[in-house]
Amino acid sequence: MSTSTEPRPATRPGDRVFRGISLGAAIVILATLAGVAIFLTAEGIPGVTASPDEVKSGETFLNYVTPLVFGTLWAAVIALAIATPVAIGVALFISHYAPRKLAQPIGYLIDLLAAVPSVVYGTWGILTLSSAIQPVYVWLEENLGFIPLFAGPASATGRTLLTAALVLAIMVLPIMTAICREIFLQTPRLHEEAALALGATRWEMTKMAVFPYARSGMVSAAMLALGRALGETMAVAMVLSASGVITFNVISSGNPNTIASNIAQSFPEASGLTVNALIATGLVLFIITFIVNFAARAIVARNKEFSGAN
């Protein structure tokens, strides 16, 4: 009984070079991530264990970081709640409803928003948006003040958490729109034509053929946008008038601060163990971002049988 072995195809030099470059890039990314984690942990532990009288805040680390974590998550959630329906709607309009001559310019304009620096968004937010939206906050307090979000008193400057969240929503909009647009365009044409042939309207076709196909892609887009909103620094630091409180009120002058904004504002004047405490808050933000990305990967993996890759 003879066994025949098929010869393996010869590996070309270009394939070996590409494989080596890919492996090297993956190792560099992992090494960089590990280096950042080790640095933040080593430098942050003294700040975590420092007594209140050794740091500028005069508080234990838990009491110091809790309002910052709340403000970071609250601002990012509001921004994501505002940006997600807008991004999906714009992406769907570009991919399935707008004429090609109109869809391409709109797509270019949305993509150009990603090239605007954060400081420009912050300047626009503090000089234009905050003053323009302040009368809206007064109206919300007078008419919807029974809702804790709009309990007031309304800020006289408009530099509130809601204003910062609006700026963040505009900043993450290009990321979500671009990803959702590409996912929507990859929907199999036969699926769409089959739904239309069965008598479905354009919107029913979208619900039955496009959204189920693009579900994991939309989740990925939202999580990427959330990661951007969690780590944004300059725009929030310029727009938000923070007082370090924990409150769900989004239109008053008493606003929670975010971790990234607090580091940017406090680091230049920090010294000693205060620097270590700020680095420790950076470690907390690093962990939060890691958890968000891990959760996104888990959600996408759970729905992978319905994704465009399959």
Side-chain angles (χ1 to χ4, degrees), residues 93-153:
F93 176 76
I94 293 174
S95 61
H96 284 79
Y97 288 87
R100 182 175 298 274
K101 292 183 179 180
L102 181 61
Q104 288 184 348
I106 294 177
Y108 293 150
L109 289 175
I110 295 296
D111 293 341
L112 283 175
L113 290 176
V116 179
S118 299
V119 67
V120 175
Y121 282 112
T123 304
W124 171 74
I126 192 174
L127 296 179
T128 303
L129 180 61
S130 58
S131 58
I133 205 171
Q134 196 275 335
V136 178
Y137 294 158
V138 176
W139 184 90
L140 289 173
E141 179 191 2
E142 294 175 351
N143 296 273
L144 300 175
F146 59 90
I147 301 176
L149 297 179
F150 312 122

Side-chain angles (χ1 to χ4, degrees), residues 71-85:
T72 301
L73 296 176
W74 187 221
V77 167
I78 296 174
L80 197 65
I82 297 172
T84 299

Side-chain angles (χ1 to χ4, degrees), residues 159-215:
R159 297 175 59 186
T160 67
L161 189 71
L162 183 55
T163 305
L166 286 171
V167 174
L168 286 177
I170 296 173
M171 295 179 68
V172 304
L173 192 63
I175 300 174
M176 295 188 64
T177 303
I179 296 176
C180 291
R181 180 185 65 207
E182 296 303 319
I183 294 296
F184 293 161
L185 288 172
Q186 292 176 14
T187 305
R189 192 68 178 174
L190 290 177
H191 292 186
E192 299 178 358
E193 293 176 350
L196 294 173
L198 291 173
T201 63
R202 183 71 65 89
W203 172 240
E204 290 172 339
M205 178 272 293
T206 301
K207 291 192 297 182
M208 293 186 296
V210 178
F211 284 164
Y213 180 85
R215 184 182 305 157

Side-chain angles (χ1 to χ4, degrees), residues 9 35 38 40 43 81 86 135 150 164 167 205 231 259 270 283 296-297 299:
I38 293 172
L40 292 175
E43 295 293 328
V86 176
F150 312 122
V167 174
M205 178 272 293
I259 294 177
L283 176 62
R297 294 289 300 177
I299 294 173

Side-chain angles (χ1 to χ4, degrees), residues 34-59:
V36 170
I38 293 172
F39 168 79
L40 292 175
T41 303
E43 295 293 328
I45 287 178
V48 174
T49 58
S51 61
D53 56 349
E54 293 178 315
V55 293
K56 187 176 180 180
S57 64
E59 300 175 308

